[in-house]
Amino acid sequence: MTIKLLAASAALLLMGAAPQAHAQMPTWSAEQGEVWKFVQQSWVDDVAQNGKWPAEYADPQMVTWSAEFAAPRGKDATVRWTKFQNSQGKVLQYELAPQSISLSGNTAVVTYALTIVAQRGTDKPDWGKEAIVETLVRSGGGWKFLSSTSFSLEK
């Protein structure tokens, strides 16, 4: 019994003295990091409602689909709906949690989770959690979104 107590005490002491590990960005290649920066910047511009998202980020053949829409939408419809949604409210806070970035040639598939708080007018802020899967293609030296789909992580 004494040996077990001493071993447990030593283990606790070592755990307390060991450096703390914090959640970090996965170890990615430079190319994967470039893709993630592009995705992050698209969110900065989307939340800023400066007109850059999705117009400047989308491949001409982009297709999007989420729970709010009965069918997939092309780039032009996505731009129109984004303008409409921006006129209806704003994002108060959001957080992106990257899950994976797969690369093959000039194609990247990015998966991440989104926590978002949005507000329409003076309504109570609405919290949401979504999973997002996006396909990007490299064109003209940069990345563009070819597809984006999301689904709710709510119960």
Side-chain angles (χ1 to χ4, degrees), residues 110-141:
V110 181
T111 63
Y112 58 98
L114 165 69
T115 302
I116 191 165
V117 181
Q119 185 175 29
R120 289 182 70 161
T122 58
D123 291 354
K124 180 181 173 188
D126 182 40
W127 285 71
K129 294 179 283 196
E130 296 180 20
I132 299 175
V133 180
E134 295 175 319
T135 302
L136 291 81
V137 291
R138 189 175 8 222
S139 175

Side-chain angles (χ1 to χ4, degrees), residues 31-39 101 103 108 110 136 143:
E31 196 172 28
Q32 288 169 309
E34 177 186 322
V35 169
W36 183 244
K37 283 177 102 173
F38 183 78
V39 170
I101 298 176
L103 291 166
V110 181
L136 291 81
W143 292 96

Side-chain angles (χ1 to χ4, degrees), residues 26-131:
T27 303
W28 287 335
S29 69
E31 196 172 28
Q32 288 169 309
E34 177 186 322
V35 169
W36 183 244
K37 283 177 102 173
F38 183 78
V39 170
Q40 287 179 306
Q41 187 60 48
S42 74
W43 275 94
V44 169
D45 285 331
D46 187 10
V47 170
Q49 298 183 354
N50 59 20
K52 292 181 180 180
W53 169 260
E56 294 181 17
Y57 287 89
D59 181 86
Q61 301 304 313
M62 181 181 183
V63 175
T64 62
W65 198 2
S66 61
E68 296 87 9
F69 298 94
R73 298 168 288 145
K75 178 182 176 180
D76 293 342
T78 301
V79 170
R80 279 194 313 275
W81 278 103
T82 298
K83 287 179 182 177
F84 172 75
Q85 288 172 318
N86 287 347
S87 72
Q88 299 298 303
K90 63 184 176 184
V91 172
L92 303 176
Q93 184 72 23
Y94 73 97
E95 181 177 39
L96 308 176
Q99 302 301 305
S100 68
I101 298 176
S102 299
L103 291 166
S104 181
N106 290 323
T107 304
V109 177
V110 181
T111 63
Y112 58 98
L114 165 69
T115 302
I116 191 165
V117 181
Q119 185 175 29
R120 289 182 70 161
T122 58
D123 291 354
K124 180 181 173 188
D126 182 40
W127 285 71
K129 294 179 283 196
E130 296 180 20

